[in-house]
Amino acid sequence: LFFCEVTLSPRPSPHLAAVACPPNSSMADTENLTEEERKRLLEQRKARQFKKFTYRGKTVEELMNMSNEEVLDLVKARTRRRMMRGLKRRSQALIRKLRQAKAECPEGEKPKPIKTHLRNMLIIPEMIGSQLGVYNGKQFALVEVRPEMIGHYTGEFSISYRPVKHGRPGIGSTNSSRFIPLN
């Protein structure tokens, strides 16, 4: 069953371009439907389809349910080596704080940010949805952990330097580049 709209405007509506209507379908197809079926069709049409994130063929839910040993098989060699050597006490304390923050927050809200100096902490599936304040040498940069970040380090998302904005050459540059005519 399909639900299509028909407009009488001279220009096509951009909203109707997203609706896929098969050829030879018309409003007559929907006249035979009950009210419930029409509502269901409208809801299906309104529902936005998001692309499901997968990490090496596994969905986020599957990743969250996996043990660390099962995650080892999915990550790259550098991350696998680091995880096999075990999590240090500070890393375990951070994960414990993240679990606690997730448990305390109400359903459907973001947990409170946890501040950390651990720029070398690997992001594991258990951390997805958490908020971190990663220290960059001056302040704590807020980082919301997303599924795409698995296997990366927390420091990668908190830049520790101000990118160079190249201006005019100053003292210490070569003589030819400092020359300014007197005219």
Side-chain angles (χ1 to χ4, degrees):
L1 299 173
F2 297 94
F3 186 77
C4 299
E5 288 186 19
V6 177
T7 59
L8 301 175
S9 65
R11 284 190 278 163
S13 171
H15 304 292
L16 295 179
V19 178
C21 295
N24 304 329
S25 69
S26 65
M27 290 293 283
D29 294 342
T30 61
E31 291 174 4
N32 302 343
L33 301 177
T34 65
E35 195 63 33
E36 289 178 25
E37 291 174 328
R38 284 186 191 200
K39 285 181 183 178
R40 187 174 47 82
L41 284 173
L42 282 172
E43 286 175 15
Q44 284 178 353
R45 195 171 136 234
K46 287 181 184 178
R48 292 175 54 184
Q49 295 294 320
F50 292 104
K51 183 180 177 189
K52 283 287 233 182
F53 174 79
T54 57
Y55 181 80
R56 310 267 171 118
K58 304 288 183 185
T59 64
V60 176
E61 293 80 22
E62 292 172 337
L63 288 170
M64 299 281 273
N65 295 330
M66 286 181 167
S67 66
N68 283 344
E69 290 76 26
E70 293 172 325
V71 174
L72 279 177
D73 297 334
L74 299 177
V75 295
K76 295 180 181 177
R78 175 79 252 168
T79 308
R80 186 169 43 250
R81 175 177 160 77
R82 172 83 187 275
M83 289 176 76
M84 284 177 65
R85 294 173 67 88
L87 290 175
K88 304 293 186 237
R89 191 175 70 199
R90 288 184 176 178
S91 301
Q92 290 175 347
L94 175 64
I95 291 174
R96 188 173 56 249
K97 287 179 184 177
L98 291 173
R99 278 188 203 133
Q100 185 179 6
K102 270 189 180 179
E104 290 174 357
C105 80
E107 187 67 31
E109 290 189 20
K110 294 178 183 176
K112 68 179 179 90
I114 304 297
K115 292 182 177 181
T116 182
H117 283 247
L118 296 176
R119 296 177 59 83
N120 63 346
M121 174 67 187
L122 277 172
I123 295 178
I124 57 176
E126 188 177 355
M127 299 168 70
I128 294 173
S130 301
Q131 290 195 333
L132 291 170
V134 183
Y135 195 64
N136 65 7
K138 184 177 180 182
Q139 60 196 16
F140 290 92
L142 187 64
V143 176
E144 185 177 344
V145 181
R146 296 187 308 271
E148 299 87 33
M149 298 178 179
I150 294 173
H152 291 272
Y153 293 93
T154 55
E156 292 180 47
F157 306 102
S158 173
I159 191 165
S160 60
Y161 62 91
R162 183 172 289 127
V164 177
K165 296 182 177 79
H166 294 282
R168 292 187 49 81
I171 298 172
S173 60
T174 61
N175 287 333
S176 61
S177 64
R178 279 193 311 201
F179 174 73
I180 300 171
L182 297 173
N183 292 348

